[in-house]
Amino acid sequence: MRAGLPVAVPGMRVGLLGGSFDPAHEGHLAITQAAMRRFRLDRVWWLVSPGNPLKARGPAPMPERIAHARRLLDDPRVVVTDIERRLGTRMTADTIAALRRLYPGVRFVWLMGSDNLVQFHRWDRWKRIAAAVPIGVLARPGSQTAARHSVAAQAMAQARLPQEQAGTLALRRPPAWVLVNLPMSPQSSTALRAGR
């Protein structure tokens, strides 16, 4: 195991929540807590990305984003990490492939908000991501209907689980995904940046 990487042992269920976290906020906490509960995860790793290729504007410096995210957390099961920077990966497909090599036997679940499912088909090698790990989709305000009818959701329709089976997601062989409803948080990093 490389120095500075999170610890996980075979059999653990680890949710991966990627993003710029610019800045991290209560909405990130809410979906993290919901994911741990609904998908029965042992840990959630916040993968603070060097940058998002789908966003025109670059994020704040990584040390600043990581420090802010860590101040927000008080649950030792949630780990804030710059793992993509350490691994030298930029695209989610590459990050997941590297994590699966480094952590054999760990049951990773990719976590995303329903707003991300709407544009998931625009991600680099999105079908490879779906074939590599189960995906837990958490409802976000105003995007549930669009997410259910998105290009990716339609393409993966046969792999969708009913909400009642969300707790088994980490044990499923991919492709497997589920969209779960939860209490909504209207917070967004974009709105918080605009208010600075």
Side-chain angles (χ1 to χ4, degrees), residues 94-118:
D94 297 326
T95 301
I96 289 171
L99 290 174
R100 291 180 69 214
R101 281 191 305 274
L102 286 169
Y103 296 92
V106 171
R107 297 181 173 275
F108 289 112
V109 173
W110 185 259
L111 304 174
M112 68 168 69
S114 55
D115 52 337
N116 275 311
L117 183 60
V118 172

Side-chain angles (χ1 to χ4, degrees), residues 22-187:
D22 187 25
H25 53 73
E26 293 295 327
H28 292 123
L29 285 176
I31 66 170
T32 297
Q33 291 163 351
M36 291 188 83
R37 206 172 40 254
R38 297 294 296 274
F39 306 134
R40 298 184 187 152
L41 302 173
D42 299 307
R43 302 276 186 281
V44 171
W45 296 352
W46 285 9
L47 309 182
V48 181
S49 67
N52 183 336
L54 296 179
K55 291 185 179 178
R57 187 182 85 66
M62 184 172 279
E64 182 181 311
R65 291 181 284 137
I66 288 175
H68 177 76
R70 286 181 176 153
R71 283 193 301 272
L72 208 59
L73 293 168
D74 64 359
D75 187 336
R77 298 173 301 165
V78 183
V79 178
V80 178
T81 177
D82 62 349
I83 204 163
E84 288 183 311
R85 183 186 65 78
R86 291 176 184 274
L87 296 175
T89 58
R90 183 76 189 257
M91 300 297 184
T92 301
D94 297 326
T95 301
I96 289 171
L99 290 174
R100 291 180 69 214
R101 281 191 305 274
L102 286 169
Y103 296 92
V106 171
R107 297 181 173 275
F108 289 112
V109 173
W110 185 259
L111 304 174
M112 68 168 69
S114 55
D115 52 337
N116 275 311
L117 183 60
V118 172
Q119 45 115 22
F120 187 43
H121 68 282
R122 294 176 51 209
W123 292 24
D124 181 65
R125 292 167 287 156
W126 70 274
K127 289 182 179 179
R128 187 174 296 179
I129 296 167
V133 291
I135 300 172
V137 183
L138 300 125
R140 293 276 295 138
S143 63
Q144 300 97 299
T145 300
R148 283 194 297 272
H149 298 288
S150 67
V151 171
Q154 297 304 311
M156 301 186 302
Q158 296 299 315
R160 185 175 179 189
L161 302 175
Q163 283 195 62
E164 301 77 45
Q165 294 179 17
T168 68
L169 184 64
L171 305 176
R172 299 288 180 144
R173 184 176 177 163
W177 69 284
V178 63
L179 170 61
V180 296
N181 294 317
L182 57 142
M184 299 290 167
S185 169
Q187 280 200 321

